[in-house]
Amino acid sequence: MSSGGVPSAAATVRLSSPLQIRAPGPTSSGAIKKADVRRADCCDNVKHGVCVRSQSSSQCCGQHGSRGHSARRAPPLAIHEQEVGVADTLQLEPLTEEAFVANLQQRFKRDLIYTSAGDVLVSVNPYKKLALYSLDVVEAYRNRPILSHLPPHIFALADKAHWNLRERNEEQCVVVSGESGSGKTEAARIVLQYVTVAGSGPSGAQQDPALAPIKLIRDRLLQAGPLLEAFGNAKTHKNDNSSRFGKYLDVEFDFKGDPVGGTFTSYLLEKSRVTRQLAGERNFHIFYQLLTGADIQLLKSLKLHRNIDNYAFLRPSRPLSMETIDDKRDFQVTKKALETLGFSAEDVVQIFKVVASVLKLGNIGFTPTSNIDGTEGCTVTNDYELFEVCGLLGTNPMELTSALTQRTILAGPVLDSPSTNPAPPPPPPSCGSLRGVKSGGCSSSAAGTPPSFVPSSSMSSTASRDVYEVCEMLQHSTLARLTLADERGSTSTAGELVVADLSASEATASRDILCRALYSRLFAWLVKQVNDATRVRKYGKRKVLGILDIYGFEVFEQNGFEQFIINFCNEKLQQAVADCTLRQRQEEMLREGIEWTPVDFFNNTPVCELIEKNNHGILAVLDEESQRGGPGGDESFLARLCHTCGSSAYFETRNCAPHSAPSDLPCNTSVPPNCFRLRHYAGTVTYGVTGFVDKNNDTLPLDLSLAMFRCEHPLLKNLFPEGNPKRTTLKRAASAGTQFKISVGALMGNLQSKTPHFVRCIKPNELKQPRIFENALVQHQVRYLCLVQTIKVRKSSFAHSESYESFLHRYKMLSPHTWPSWRGSAVEGASYLLRDLPLSSPHFAFGRTRIFVRGERTVAELEEFRRQRLEDLAALVQKMWRGYRCRQRYILMRQSQIVIASAWRSWREWQIGKTRLFKGKKNLFCLYRVAREEYRELKRRKQIEWAVQVIQTHYLQWRRRQFLQRLCVSLPSESPMCREWPAAAKRLSDTSLLLRRIHHKWRCHKYRLKFDQTARNRMREKVTASIIFRDRKASYPRSVSHPFLGDYVRLRQNVQWKKICVETNDQYVVFADIINKITRSSGKFVPILFVLSTSSMLILDQRTLQIKYRVPAADIYRLSLSPYLDDVAIFHIKAGCELPSLAHEAGCSDCSRGGGSSPLQGAEHATGCLFQSDYGKKKGDFVFHTGHVIEIVTKLFLVIQNAVGKPPEVNINTEFEANFGSQTVMLSFKCAGLPEVQPGQIKIMRKGSRMEVLV
């Protein structure tokens, strides 16, 4: 954050009265308001930040801007013409650190300070004004088409964040990070200025009175920056407008994208700067603005002089004169910001009184005095300064003098419970004389009186009141123990109030503590008032865009507690950025199953744990030492750090060598005394521990709190609430380090809950001069910011990832398959959606739970398709709505016309009837009345019929709803075997039948989804069996309920079979069982082992497992069965080729020598049927009898189909031919109830060329 005075770009542009886009330049204070010019040295031709003389020609008069740099307004098209180098470093080749820095330098020389590094925008501080922020450029990025090609710009990043917030309804945050002086404050201001006008625009806010509240909120959000910068920024060695506090802004937007409010959160103001600055640095801006820019009357009312040398807190910075800061002009801007934020004139004066009081308090000096008892006291040297401070704050000089030069403490045990009312720690032994040491009594002498023990009766009324109020604050319930007059001279030590004189140095330290407390609490009060002015007035759910402008990483010659806290915050921020851009993205790719090569980067998590780890971290040790109190706290803290953190590779002190150093070194002389060194992500920093414990305690003495609370100044009672004597608790507040640690933790959690956008600011040189680019400095920043690693990860990964459900919900209108609703799985829906889009598949990748999109252009194309489709849908909705409205209007007009025509006809008939009646002609009026009555009766009948139809229609609809509701709660079981179904009315029978079929298909689908691969194969076999045998084979129904097990003899576990199957390539057994082979001559049953593999059919000896026959599946061309209950199946074999004689002999010899272990060696390449004993002889078809005939035929059917590519013929008939080798035999199946044939058995008879099977 500390980058306001060192901008990342510079031209000041006035867009409209509520909008001030101020480019980051060497100046920084805030946005321009109306005719105010913010820190831009301009000629008289400049109005509202734009040169009036050159508005028509887009040329500046050339007289504004420090260092002679002109700020020309470049048209949008000129942006493309000025591109040099590689704007998007994803296209940089080769992608190395040196090439990246060289590309930055090449663009920097042409004033192109923005470069895209994947998802990160790199901004190089130009230290001058640039024409990058004109109104034309704003409109170009604000109204750009989705698929437009504009160069990298901070407007593009801000527009993307605002677009995601508005269109995707996702909370966003913009994180600006970098070193101190790299331009972070200006970058954050530009983002804020852009997003506040990205909704309805400035012109709408001026013309439409309804947008006046939005205009007011917009102005207040923009003016809050200059106000907080005036009170929280200062000039440092690194930066002329360094933010000495952290700032996070949550801007809330309505559904249109217009800002409706905001909340500022500040982090740890560097209040020590109020009383002490390093050489060459300045105090906070507001002091110089007030002395330089206030008018004479205001200065007189504040008792101030313009000469800065008159104030001790400002003298070290008096010689500093900077071209980038105009305190006089900035003061007017600060006053204007106070008015815009709703501060009244009286509030402004009271604020400046507190600021003036801080300056005046710094001039109060103390002269040492010696008390009678030999102790040291002090007196105020310049009473006139004290009286002026009391006049500003509205307090008694005696009370303020007493609070500054004395300290009231409790000596002895506390009367109440220590847990409820902790007493303040006793002062160090050198704190001065003790006055009024009586049991519960205390007294104070007048100014100038020699210090001594004064009787309590001689105390002034003011001192007495102070003691009583302190007693009440300490909650001593028994005033008898703390009475002011102890005339009996009792020396009870139950709880003594002691007034101790302070030495001159201690009084000076007390004065500095009061000054720092006054200023820091005033700053916190200002932040609270700004939040009250910008708070959302209406309740409701809104989306938030956060802007983080935090301290920049700092390394000075002397680094103290403030630098330690600032760098710790930067460590946490670097950890969060690295987690988001590097670690989480790589983990997501691996988690989703995307092929990924890890990219290494520096992980600073050990450094963060070293600082914030509970009980063992640096902050924990500091808190323990702060609670312990006593003298020598800083030295004790350093010693405990060496003992606790000395083993870390990232920590070293003088007495603890580095982790990598040899263990025999006595000490680390590179570290100065009373210092410790941390290895941060951005470099090694040495911190001096002096003042660490006191700054971490951050306590204000009760005397000062009481004195401030009793002041008549209206703000001080709010700034010092602990000084109220009626307060019932004095609970010890958390230390400054602990509070900051909690705040940073909450901030990191807040950032992680939003979609981040990162701006990495680069400082090109240490001189804060334009046109200077130090390669070593920039390369160091590029390295520790992990920019090259970020580009590598982004280049190898995907630009966008989203869950399938979210992706389908956003883009489902782009496909007719998914619109208007999709009932299947989200993955399948996303696949259908992308199939219907004119996008190539390499641009997408499907993970386990998320879909990945390769490039930003593809995402833009999807959004463009969605926008066009939404326009079409909107036109469709408008068309239907307008048609409906026109139809309703037509019906209303038609009904009105009917009523008017009916009434007119009635009136006409009445007139005709009346006229003819008076003329003596036939009275037509009577006929009219009869006709009218009949018409009314007919109309009434039609209305009754219409009513009956309406009632009937609603009744039928009600019956249908009742049926569907009853069906919803009484659906039958999800088992496919269940045949139950609720009864339905006769009119709903067709609907019920259709729903029953749909429900049955649905539960069958669910039933199938539960199957694993084995169950799916079995179901496939069952379905195949149903196709083959249903209504064709009488024994088929018996097999439906029995699962197909396949291996009934557990052949797969047989050791001998494992050896055989390797030789025959029959490892995968589909079926194995002992069945009967029917002999061809006599029809007898011969038991065999039948094996069916995925490639062949084998017949083995059931005892020795010797292969008798092996038939390849491709040689079986027909399967024949009878339609009866028999279990006979005939497998028809093709006529195979004769094997060569040598192969036959080899096969026979092998069989004779090897037995039955390997009968197919020597004939394994033969085609057709293979036999063990006679290889060349044709054996013909096989006839089997088995109880698993349905299973065998089904499995063989599938095996043949897989081997050949087409299913074999299945012949189910009572008669068919079979080839028995030398002859063809007619098999005939007869179903006869013969007494010699038992039920379920068969009898086979062979008569010549005919074989009869009796069932």
Side-chain angles (χ1 to χ4, degrees):
M1 182 166 165
S2 46
S3 54
V6 192
S8 59
T12 305
V13 178
R14 168 80 178 175
L15 297 183
S16 66
S17 59
L19 167 67
Q20 302 84 29
I21 291 292
R22 180 179 178 274
T27 62
S28 97
S29 247
I32 307 173
K33 176 69 176 176
K34 293 186 179 179
D36 298 327
V37 180
R38 293 290 295 126
R39 298 182 183 177
D41 298 328
C42 260
C43 61
D44 296 335
N45 299 322
V46 175
K47 183 179 180 182
H48 305 311
V50 178
C51 184
V52 179
R53 181 186 302 178
S54 58
Q55 282 184 354
S56 59
S57 60
S58 300
Q59 297 293 329
C60 181
C61 61
Q63 299 177 7
H64 28 134
S66 60
R67 306 185 183 97
H69 296 288
S70 62
R72 294 191 296 268
R73 296 180 56 189
L77 295 179
I79 301 175
H80 302 278
E81 301 172 359
Q82 298 174 0
E83 283 301 314
V84 294
V86 180
D88 188 356
T89 50
L90 292 177
Q91 305 172 3
L92 183 64
E93 292 294 342
L95 182 56
T96 61
E97 198 172 86
E98 293 75 12
F100 184 83
V101 174
N103 182 65
L104 290 181
Q105 183 179 15
Q106 183 181 6
R107 294 175 59 82
F108 177 78
K109 290 180 178 179
R110 295 292 299 273
D111 293 337
L112 299 177
I113 63 173
Y114 295 118
T115 305
S116 176
D119 297 334
V120 178
L121 179 68
V122 179
S123 173
V124 183
N125 195 342
Y127 294 110
K128 67 176 182 178
K129 302 174 183 178
L130 297 177
L132 296 178
Y133 308 95
S134 64
L135 181 60
D136 295 336
V137 177
V138 173
E139 293 300 324
Y141 281 92
R142 180 183 169 198
N143 299 321
R144 61 171 179 165
I146 295 180
L147 296 177
S148 62
H149 295 281
L150 290 178
H153 200 286
I154 196 168
F155 287 166
L157 181 135
D159 186 75
K160 180 180 178 182
H162 185 268
W163 184 89
N164 286 335
L165 177 108
R166 185 182 68 251
E167 296 295 333
R168 287 185 171 268
N169 200 28
E170 297 175 353
E171 293 191 345
Q172 310 288 313
C173 67
V174 178
V175 179
V176 185
S177 59
E179 277 194 12
S180 178
S182 58
K184 298 184 301 301
T185 299
E186 296 295 337
R189 179 188 293 114
I190 293 174
V191 172
L192 174 62
Q193 292 171 340
Y194 184 89
V195 299
T196 52
V197 300
S200 59
S203 59
Q206 285 183 340
Q207 298 174 3
D208 191 355
L211 296 179
I214 296 177
K215 175 181 178 297
L216 178 62
I217 287 296
R218 180 181 298 154
D219 290 344
R220 288 184 172 181
L221 287 174
L222 294 176
Q223 292 298 327
L227 175 63
L228 297 182
E229 288 180 18
F231 283 84
N233 287 24
K235 192 265 181 191
T236 64
H237 292 296
K238 303 285 185 180
N239 191 354
D240 290 349
N241 188 35
S242 177
S243 297
R244 310 317 299 163
F245 70 104
K247 180 177 65 178
Y248 175 74
L249 170 61
D250 268 335
V251 185
E252 297 189 45
F253 294 85
D254 59 10
F255 69 96
K256 302 187 301 297
D258 292 326
V260 294
T263 303
F264 287 86
T265 305
S266 63
Y267 299 95
L268 195 63
L269 177 72
E270 187 192 12
K271 56 185 179 182
S272 62
R273 181 170 294 272
V274 175
T275 57
R276 178 179 175 273
Q277 309 96 38
L278 296 177
E281 295 188 352
R282 293 208 323 173
N283 211 320
F284 291 103
H285 291 324
I286 187 61
F287 296 115
Y288 307 95
Q289 293 178 9
L290 182 61
L291 296 179
T292 307
D295 53 34
I296 298 299
Q297 290 77 11
L298 180 59
L299 288 179
K300 286 184 178 180
S301 64
L302 300 178
K303 300 177 175 56
L304 295 176
H305 305 280
R306 291 200 186 276
N307 190 358
I308 295 178
D309 291 333
N310 293 340
Y311 304 99
F313 288 163
L314 306 182
R315 287 192 193 110
S317 59
R318 177 63 189 93
L320 297 176
S321 60
M322 295 166 292
E323 301 177 1
T324 59
I325 295 179
D326 187 344
D327 293 319
K328 184 175 182 180
R329 182 181 63 237
D330 293 342
F331 179 73
Q332 301 303 322
V333 175
T334 302
K335 284 188 64 178
K336 189 65 177 180
L338 287 168
E339 296 174 4
T340 305
L341 288 165
F343 290 89
S344 64
E346 181 63 24
D347 292 337
V348 174
V349 173
Q350 298 300 333
I351 292 171
F352 289 151
K353 281 186 177 180
V354 176
V355 176
S357 300
V358 173
L359 289 177
K360 304 292 286 184
L361 280 170
N363 291 341
I364 296 178
F366 301 94
T367 302
T369 60
S370 297
N371 297 324
I372 296 177
D373 56 357
T375 59
E376 183 182 352
C378 67
T379 58
V380 176
T381 56
N382 41 359
D383 292 335
Y384 64 92
E385 295 280 7
L386 178 68
F387 279 94
E388 289 183 351
V389 170
C390 294
L392 292 172
L393 300 181
T395 186
N396 190 336
M398 293 297 297
E399 294 182 11
L400 184 57
T401 302
S402 176
L404 291 174
T405 60
Q406 298 176 352
R407 188 73 67 244
T408 302
I409 62 175
L410 271 180
V414 206
L415 297 180
D416 290 344
S417 173
S419 61
T420 307
N421 300 290
S430 61
C431 65
S433 63
L434 302 180
R435 301 176 57 88
V437 183
K438 286 285 186 177
S439 176
C442 61
S443 61
S444 61
S445 61
T449 305
S452 62
F453 289 103
V454 181
S456 56
S457 58
S458 64
M459 286 177 54
S460 65
S461 60
T462 301
S464 302
R465 186 170 65 254
D466 289 346
V467 173
Y468 270 112
E469 290 178 351
V470 171
C471 294
E472 189 174 355
M473 292 174 63
L474 295 175
Q475 293 187 345
H476 293 291
S477 58
T478 309
L479 287 179
R481 298 184 181 183
L482 295 175
T483 173
L484 287 175
D486 192 358
E487 298 176 355
R488 294 174 297 178
S490 62
T491 58
S492 170
T493 60
E496 296 177 344
L497 270 182
V498 177
V499 177
D501 283 344
L502 301 179
S503 64
S505 59
E506 292 167 349
T508 302
S510 178
R511 178 206 65 189
D512 292 346
I513 291 175
L514 177 60
C515 293
R516 292 193 292 265
L518 269 172
Y519 191 84
S520 62
R521 297 189 184 196
L522 174 64
F523 182 80
W525 179 82
L526 283 174
V527 174
K528 179 178 178 299
Q529 296 302 115
V530 168
N531 287 334
D532 291 340
T534 59
R535 183 177 291 114
V536 180
R537 304 304 175 187
K538 296 181 180 179
Y539 295 99
K541 187 176 181 181
R542 298 177 181 86
K543 289 302 177 182
V544 173
L545 189 149
I547 302 174
L548 178 62
D549 178 17
I550 207 70
Y551 322 90
F553 191 86
E554 293 183 346
V555 183
F556 297 130
E557 293 182 2
Q558 298 178 5
N559 302 286
F561 179 77
E562 293 80 7
Q563 282 68 42
F564 172 74
I565 289 297
I566 289 173
N567 293 342
F568 165 60
C569 179
N570 278 270
E571 285 284 356
K572 293 293 292 181
L573 185 59
Q574 172 68 13
Q575 182 187 34
V577 175
D579 281 352
C580 183
T581 58
L582 296 171
R583 184 182 63 82
Q584 292 181 6
R585 175 163 290 188
Q586 297 190 74
E587 290 178 354
E588 181 185 54
M589 302 291 289
L590 296 175
R591 185 172 58 251
E592 293 295 326
I594 306 296
E595 184 178 355
W596 181 254
T597 301
V599 176
D600 296 330
F601 63 96
F602 176 73
N603 186 4
N604 68 331
T605 301
V607 184
C608 297
E609 292 180 352
L610 176 66
I611 298 175
E612 65 177 348
K613 188 176 181 181
N614 293 333
N615 302 325
H616 299 289
I618 297 177
L619 290 177
V621 174
L622 182 59
D623 282 349
E624 293 178 3
E625 195 62 36
S626 300
Q627 293 175 3
R628 190 174 65 86
D634 295 331
E635 291 76 8
S636 176
F637 164 64
L638 183 60
R640 293 193 60 190
L641 274 187
C642 184
H643 178 267
T644 305
C645 308
S647 60
S648 174
Y650 302 92
F651 175 87
E652 54 182 313
T653 63
R654 191 175 184 85
N655 297 325
C656 297
H659 189 67
S660 59
S663 57
D664 55 350
L665 290 178
C667 63
N668 185 9
T669 57
S670 64
V671 182
N674 294 328
C675 295
F676 67 92
R677 182 175 294 162
L678 283 182
R679 179 183 157 199
H680 290 284
Y681 76 98
T684 302
V685 183
T686 302
Y687 299 99
V689 298
T690 304
F692 258 64
V693 175
D694 292 338
K695 293 178 181 179
N696 187 58
N697 275 326
D698 195 23
T699 56
L700 184 68
L702 290 177
D703 301 81
L704 296 176
S705 299
L706 178 63
M708 292 296 102
F709 183 83
R710 288 170 52 188
C711 292
E712 296 178 359
H713 194 286
L715 295 184
L716 295 188
K717 295 189 185 304
N718 294 326
L719 301 185
F720 297 89
E722 75 276 10
N724 188 355
K726 298 181 180 179
R727 285 174 61 96
T728 59
T729 178
L730 291 175
K731 182 178 179 180
R732 182 187 182 94
S735 64
T738 300
Q739 293 180 18
F740 189 76
K741 172 185 171 182
I742 296 173
S743 301
V744 170
L747 173 64
M748 297 301 116
N750 192 5
L751 295 179
Q752 292 174 2
S753 66
K754 297 177 173 61
T755 302
H757 305 268
F758 300 107
V759 180
R760 293 291 210 177
C761 297
I762 301 292
K763 181 169 60 175
N765 59 79
E766 294 284 4
L767 303 176
K768 297 180 285 186
Q769 297 295 323
R771 298 291 182 181
I772 300 177
F773 192 93
E774 299 178 4
N775 282 302
L777 176 63
V778 174
Q779 188 171 8
H780 173 66
Q781 297 174 72
V782 169
R783 183 179 298 118
Y784 73 69
L785 291 176
C786 301
L787 291 179
V788 176
Q789 290 86 341
T790 302
I791 301 170
K792 289 181 179 179
V793 170
R794 169 61 186 85
K795 190 174 183 178
S796 303
S797 63
F798 296 83
H800 177 73
S801 68
E802 198 170 358
S803 64
Y804 290 114
E805 293 78 7
S806 175
F807 182 83
L808 187 62
H809 177 73
R810 181 164 183 81
Y811 301 110
K812 63 180 180 179
M813 72 287 297
L814 301 181
S815 171
H817 294 92
T818 57
W819 178 259
S821 61
W822 173 256
R823 301 298 183 186
S825 64
V827 182
E828 187 178 358
S831 177
Y832 273 109
L833 193 154
L834 294 178
R835 214 175 294 165
D836 294 335
L837 293 176
L839 299 174
S840 57
S841 57
H843 292 166
F844 301 92
F846 287 81
R848 294 187 176 95
T849 61
R850 301 177 71 83
I851 185 172
F852 295 84
V853 185
R854 176 69 64 182
E856 291 285 354
R857 180 172 180 82
T858 307
V859 180
E861 289 177 349
L862 284 172
E863 291 296 336
E864 181 66 17
F865 293 152
R866 181 177 181 271
R867 184 190 63 81
Q868 295 175 1
R869 179 59 177 160
L870 288 179
E871 290 180 356
D872 296 340
L873 293 175
L876 177 63
V877 172
Q878 291 176 353
K879 180 185 72 174
M880 299 303 296
W881 168 249
R882 289 167 182 164
Y884 168 77
R885 289 293 302 271
C886 292
R887 178 66 180 170
Q888 294 297 317
R889 185 168 177 269
Y890 164 75
I891 292 174
L892 181 61
M893 292 176 64
R894 185 171 178 272
Q895 292 177 350
S896 302
Q897 185 268 341
I898 292 174
V899 172
I900 294 172
S902 175
W904 182 80
R905 284 195 297 268
S906 300
W907 175 81
R908 186 185 61 178
E909 294 295 335
W910 166 259
Q911 292 295 327
I912 293 175
K914 183 172 66 172
T915 303
R916 293 183 178 179
L917 176 63
F918 286 109
K919 290 183 178 179
K921 297 181 179 180
K922 185 177 180 180
N923 190 359
L924 298 179
F925 181 68
C926 297
L927 297 177
Y928 163 76
R929 293 184 61 183
V930 173
R932 188 64 177 175
E933 290 297 331
E934 292 181 358
Y935 168 74
R936 289 177 177 173
E937 183 64 24
L938 180 61
K939 184 178 179 181
R940 180 174 174 275
R941 290 177 183 175
K942 289 185 177 181
Q943 289 179 346
I944 292 174
E945 292 176 359
W946 172 81
V948 170
Q949 291 178 357
V950 171
I951 294 173
Q952 184 181 17
T953 302
H954 283 77
Y955 173 74
L956 292 178
Q957 292 177 356
W958 174 79
R959 287 295 302 272
R960 295 189 189 103
R961 285 196 301 270
Q962 289 294 318
F963 168 71
L964 294 177
Q965 292 174 358
R966 185 171 65 253
L967 181 62
C968 184
V969 298
S970 60
L971 283 174
S973 171
E974 294 185 2
S975 173
M977 300 299 295
C978 181
R979 301 299 180 188
E980 299 177 357
W981 188 256
K986 188 175 181 180
R987 285 179 172 270
L988 301 175
S989 57
D990 295 340
T991 304
S992 177
L993 179 60
L994 179 60
L995 290 175
R996 184 175 184 179
R997 292 176 180 172
I998 294 174
H999 178 264
H1000 182 66
K1001 290 183 179 180
W1002 170 77
R1003 63 186 182 184
C1004 290
H1005 175 70
K1006 287 195 65 176
Y1007 183 74
R1008 290 195 300 271
L1009 291 178
K1010 299 178 183 177
F1011 291 168
D1012 55 6
Q1013 189 59 40
T1014 303
R1016 290 177 184 273
N1017 294 337
R1018 291 180 178 176
M1019 175 58 71
R1020 179 169 175 256
E1021 294 170 354
K1022 283 290 185 180
V1023 173
T1024 305
S1026 174
I1027 296 173
I1028 297 174
F1029 298 109
R1030 186 175 181 181
D1031 298 332
R1032 299 180 66 189
K1033 182 71 173 173
S1035 60
Y1036 168 71
R1038 296 183 304 180
S1039 67
V1040 173
S1041 60
H1042 297 283
F1044 293 166
L1045 300 180
D1047 189 1
Y1048 289 92
V1049 295
R1050 303 185 65 183
L1051 184 64
R1052 299 186 184 95
Q1053 286 77 27
N1054 190 282
V1055 178
Q1056 186 177 354
W1057 166 254
K1058 291 180 180 179
K1059 297 179 180 179
I1060 297 173
C1061 68
V1062 173
E1063 298 172 356
T1064 60
N1065 196 22
D1066 294 313
Q1067 292 93 334
Y1068 303 101
V1069 177
V1070 179
F1071 181 87
D1073 193 13
I1074 298 175
I1075 66 173
N1076 295 320
K1077 178 179 175 295
I1078 300 177
T1079 60
R1080 300 162 181 170
S1081 58
S1082 61
K1084 293 182 179 180
F1085 293 169
V1086 178
I1088 62 168
L1089 176 59
F1090 181 87
V1091 179
L1092 179 62
S1093 70
T1094 55
S1095 59
S1096 62
M1097 178 185 74
L1098 297 93
I1099 298 175
L1100 292 81
D1101 185 271
Q1102 62 176 335
R1103 298 180 184 275
T1104 63
L1105 294 185
Q1106 183 179 1
I1107 299 178
K1108 295 182 177 181
Y1109 306 103
R1110 182 180 183 275
V1111 183
D1115 291 344
I1116 304 174
Y1117 69 94
R1118 183 186 300 164
L1119 310 174
S1120 299
L1121 300 93
S1122 74
Y1124 303 129
L1125 289 172
D1126 62 284
D1127 295 328
V1128 178
I1130 295 90
F1131 299 162
H1132 300 273
I1133 311 300
K1134 294 180 181 179
C1137 299
E1138 294 292 337
L1139 293 174
S1141 58
L1142 290 175
H1144 294 191
E1145 294 173 1
C1148 295
S1149 62
D1150 288 343
C1151 293
S1152 62
R1153 290 193 303 268
S1157 61
S1158 182
L1160 296 180
Q1161 295 178 5
E1164 59 186 13
H1165 300 292
T1167 60
C1169 301
L1170 303 179
F1171 309 105
Q1172 176 192 4
S1173 57
D1174 191 2
Y1175 284 90
K1177 192 175 181 181
K1178 181 71 174 64
K1179 289 295 182 180
D1181 303 334
F1182 291 93
V1183 183
F1184 298 110
H1185 176 269
T1186 175
H1188 305 293
V1189 63
I1190 302 296
E1191 182 177 358
I1192 289 179
V1193 174
T1194 302
K1195 290 180 179 293
L1196 186 58
F1197 179 89
L1198 294 174
V1199 168
I1200 297 172
Q1201 184 179 3
N1202 293 335
V1204 182
K1206 62 180 180 178
E1209 180 184 354
V1210 180
N1211 183 20
I1212 301 179
N1213 206 339
T1214 56
E1215 288 186 356
F1216 42 79
E1217 293 181 351
N1219 183 12
F1220 282 180
S1222 58
Q1223 61 178 337
T1224 300
V1225 178
M1226 177 65 70
L1227 271 75
S1228 176
F1229 290 82
K1230 295 181 180 180
C1231 184
L1234 299 179
E1236 63 271 16
V1237 180
Q1238 299 297 327
Q1241 297 181 358
I1242 61 174
K1243 183 178 180 180
I1244 303 176
M1245 295 181 298
R1246 172 75 183 272
K1247 297 178 181 180
S1249 63
R1250 191 174 185 85
M1251 179 179 285
E1252 293 184 355
V1253 181
L1254 301 179
V1255 181

